Amino acid sequence: MARNRQNLNIIYISDRMRETLRPIASCALTAVVAPMGYGKTTAVRWFLAEQAKAGAVVLQASIYSDNRSIFWKSVQKAFAAAGLTVLEGYDCPADASGAALLLEDLCAALGGKTPYYLFLDDFHLLGDERVAQFLCRLAYRLPENVHLIVASRNRFLPGEQVVRLGRRLHRIEADGLRLNREELLAYTHRCGVEITAAQAESLLRSCEGWFSAVYLNLHALAERGSLLQPGSDIYAMFTAAMLESLPEKTRGFLAVMGLADEFTVEMARAVTALPDAEEVLRALTQQNAFVTRLPDGVSFRFHHMMKECAERLFAQLPAARQTEVWQRYGRWYAQKAQYLHALQAFEHCGDHDAALAVIEADAGDLLASLSPAELLQRLDRCPVEALQRHPLAILVLMRRMFTWQQIPKMMELKALLEAAVAQHPE
């Protein structure tokens, strides 16, 4: 029977896991590869916190999509937060010569006696083989005091690089992250939840050491006095354990903020229109381990399991409410000059005028991060009438088409611009 529900939010790192993590400090690259919910991020962050206590410099960058531009800005932000200026003025390397120059400058800037740890989380979302190749080249040349950690749901290392890196590479996979019987019992005891031998066997059999599934079962046991039914998929399990018992306002908060990669209290107030958004968020962080505060102390993010379920909740909202939320997101991002996010938000709700206004405000800089094919697809979705209302946006798009040698599309836009000017000569 559960004794203290609040203890479910503890971080449990077994002795075996500590030994599994120890080689990170002596390897150039650590690849942590396991499916969702195995505790990859939790284990690595615990290790990094221990290293920081000993004087190491920790840089953490999360990946939220396959957009290389957003990924690169996250890495630059992590370096800047640590007081490192080496990435200022650098674009994400797009060719071998650019990558070679960046490698040289990085190794020169980070070399020395101070231990550096760079952690890239959720690497599977990026899905760019060029980045994986670059990380391998970086690991091969890194000074001994610098350590790169990459967490992913999928294997990302090319076979030849695994051989080449040799002892410079440390790999942690699902089997190293699973809870065995002794660890499961120790974890439940630490949580303040006492289980019977039969319940322990049931947990081992149904969860197979899967950390998040064990956590969700313990949450259900503390909440309702029984384990979750075997055979539930993880999202049904999560919904039953974590969301069904929440107040309606809290579920609404999750449905809306689950669309964001990261968010602050200020952003949550603006997007949800809840004056007490901070209190709702505080309650969520206190009640479970699926909403975490980021190292900057002001930003939050949802675990992917929570985010996926929140997005499912959002999909159940009325269409008018979904449009309103996306517009709030777009306005927030535009006000903060996060134009790429703003553009995506306005396109989600079909607000083409607002999307074109973002392009005008940004003067087209964000378009450089989009591929020609992607930009052409976006243009094809935009009604001619909306384009004609934004002649400045047409000029920006024409310039990008010229740069990409998309001359037929450029001429098509030129005709639209001439028509727009003819209608509004002022």
Side-chain angles (χ1 to χ4, degrees), residues 388-399:
Q388 289 182 329
R389 288 192 292 270
H390 295 270
L392 180 57
I394 295 178
L395 283 171
V396 170
L397 292 165
M398 285 174 60
R399 184 180 66 182

Side-chain angles (χ1 to χ4, degrees), residues 39-235:
K40 301 183 293 294
T41 302
T42 299
V44 171
R45 285 185 173 169
W46 174 87
F47 173 83
L48 293 176
E50 294 298 306
Q51 303 310 303
K53 292 176 186 177
V57 176
V58 174
L59 304 91
Q60 301 185 44
S62 292
I63 299 167
Y64 300 112
S65 72
D66 61 357
N67 188 291
R68 292 174 71 238
S69 177
I70 293 176
F71 158 69
W72 186 245
K73 288 180 180 178
S74 178
V75 175
Q76 289 177 314
K77 180 180 176 181
F79 272 71
L84 297 169
T85 60
V86 61
L87 296 185
E88 289 183 4
Y90 261 112
D91 291 328
C92 187
D95 53 36
S97 59
L101 181 60
L102 178 58
L103 283 173
E104 183 177 336
D105 287 351
L106 272 175
C107 292
L110 300 179
K113 295 183 179 180
T114 301
Y116 285 95
Y117 292 87
L118 172 58
F119 178 34
L120 302 180
D121 200 8
D122 297 321
F123 190 74
H124 56 277
L125 295 176
L126 190 58
D128 193 321
E129 293 182 1
R130 293 173 297 174
V131 178
Q133 290 283 0
F134 174 79
L135 294 178
C136 291
R137 292 175 61 191
L138 176 61
Y140 193 72
R141 293 187 53 185
L142 280 176
E144 291 185 357
N145 63 306
V146 185
H147 312 281
L148 177 62
I149 309 166
V150 182
S152 174
R153 293 185 195 171
N154 308 319
R155 289 187 172 88
F156 60 91
L157 293 172
E160 69 275 9
Q161 294 289 0
V162 173
V163 174
R164 186 179 182 214
L165 286 167
R167 293 184 178 180
R168 296 178 70 82
L169 172 66
H170 176 47
R171 291 193 286 178
I172 302 174
E173 300 195 349
D175 285 343
L177 296 165
R178 297 181 195 275
L179 292 171
N180 60 32
R181 189 178 192 284
E182 291 71 25
E183 291 164 349
L184 185 146
L185 291 172
Y187 172 53
T188 57
H189 181 73
R190 287 278 302 277
C191 287
V193 178
E194 299 301 334
I195 60 176
T196 65
Q199 287 172 328
E201 291 303 321
S202 176
L203 273 179
L204 281 172
R205 185 169 57 254
S206 64
C207 301
E208 297 182 348
W210 186 5
F211 213 116
S212 287
V214 172
Y215 171 83
L216 292 172
N217 270 278
L218 294 184
H219 195 284
L221 185 62
E223 184 76 22
R224 301 194 292 270
S226 62
L227 299 174
L228 294 167
Q229 292 297 316
S232 301
D233 70 48
I234 189 62
Y235 296 113

Side-chain angles (χ1 to χ4, degrees), residues 388 391 414-426:
Q388 289 182 329
K414 181 175 180 291
L416 284 176
L417 179 61
E418 291 171 346
V421 171
Q423 292 176 14
H424 304 283
E426 68 280 4

Side-chain angles (χ1 to χ4, degrees), residues 6 246 250 277-288:
Q6 296 301 315
L246 292 176
T250 306
E278 184 172 8
E279 288 70 26
V280 175
L281 183 57
R282 183 184 300 116
L284 279 170
T285 56
Q286 290 172 349
Q287 289 171 3
N288 63 74

Side-chain angles (χ1 to χ4, degrees), residues 34 95 109 123 139 159 165 192 208 264 312 314 316 329 370 378 407:
D95 53 36
F123 190 74
L165 286 167
E208 297 182 348
T264 62
R312 293 185 181 197
F314 180 79
Q316 298 172 14
Y329 267 109
L370 303 177
R378 292 179 182 219
I407 304 303

